[in-house]
Amino acid sequence: MRVMLREVHDSDLPVFFRQMNDPEALRMAAFTPADPADRDAFDAQWARIMSSAFVVRTILADGDVVGNAAVYGEPGEREVTYWVDRAWWGRGVATAALRGLLAEVAERPLYARAAADNAGSLRVLEKCGFRRSVLARGFAQARGEEIDELVLVLQG
Ligand SMILES: CC(C)(COP(=O)(O)OP(=O)(O)OC[C@H]1O[C@@H](n2cnc3c(N)ncnc32)[C@H](O)[C@@H]1OP(=O)(O)O)[C@@H](O)C(=O)NCCC(=O)NCCS
């Protein structure tokens, strides 16, 4: 399987909307929009992402749109984020996509946040060199409660 990153096309957004409304993925990511099924809110959020994120990429696996990955935030505080279609989990897509993103973005440090029980995402981050830094608490919309959140850092 060949994983590639490319610029986001408008036609990817309905695919992201479907991928980012999977109940299991939402529960795992935990820190999600209040109503992920609200298409207008999704479109408004993506308009903001496209105009303000540092780097935003569509993840392709063998040519299929299987997710997205981004670096956002101000210099010195930049964070990575990613989302993979559940049908493709466990095949190394997120790891390959994050490696590709890290090769494109030379700035360090880079930060990441994950629900403390999001073992898949923590594994992806640690395989790519991120190390656990701070444990915080935050309100997780997808769980309807405050949960532990880990901040990880990738040093230069
Ligand atoms: C987290 C996510 C991006 C992982 O995508 P993926 O393509 O399946 O990731 P990869 O296949 O590259 O790697 C996953 C790793 O986590 C491991 N893993 C997955 N679930 C796990 C679990 N419950 N416990 C322990 N390890 C787990 C896999 O075994 C794999 O590690 P390995 O290569 O050592 O075997 C994907 O599940 C997703 O999009 N989830 C919903 C959105 C989300 O949580 N985004 C991140 C927000 S911080």
Side-chain angles (χ1 to χ4, degrees):
M1 181 189 51
R2 187 166 153 79
V3 176
M4 291 177 61
L5 301 180
R6 67 147 164 76
E7 297 205 342
V8 175
H9 300 166
D10 287 345
S11 58
D12 298 337
L13 297 184
V15 184
F16 295 165
F17 182 69
R18 180 183 54 74
Q19 292 168 342
M20 300 179 93
N21 264 288
D22 178 83
E24 197 177 322
L26 286 164
R27 181 169 170 75
M28 187 176 179
F31 298 99
T32 61
D35 182 4
D38 180 339
R39 183 61 205 254
D40 290 338
F42 176 89
D43 287 342
Q45 185 203 8
W46 270 86
R48 280 195 303 276
I49 291 170
M50 295 302 289
S51 65
S52 66
F54 184 54
V55 176
V56 196
R57 294 288 178 257
T58 292
I59 307 171
L60 300 177
D62 290 341
D64 286 341
V65 173
V66 299
N68 60 78
V71 179
Y72 66 94
E74 299 303 315
E77 299 176 358
R78 302 227 202 260
E79 287 190 24
V80 301
T81 182
Y82 41 78
W83 197 291
V84 171
D85 186 333
R86 186 151 65 92
W88 290 81
W89 286 4
R91 294 195 242 171
V93 171
T95 305
L98 182 57
R99 287 200 174 120
L101 201 61
L102 298 177
E104 268 193 56
V105 177
E107 286 179 32
R108 301 290 183 269
L110 288 174
Y111 297 90
R113 293 169 177 273
D117 59 7
N118 189 345
S121 188
L122 291 170
R123 176 83 184 118
V124 168
L125 290 163
E126 290 182 322
K127 277 196 289 183
C128 292
F130 283 78
R131 294 294 167 253
R132 297 174 193 218
S133 155
V134 176
L135 183 64
R137 294 281 291 173
F139 187 78
Q141 293 284 1
R143 314 250 185 114
E145 61 179 351
E146 251 194 28
I147 62 167
D148 286 338
E149 180 182 37
L150 275 163
V151 180
L152 296 93
V153 60
L154 178 69
Q155 301 288 359

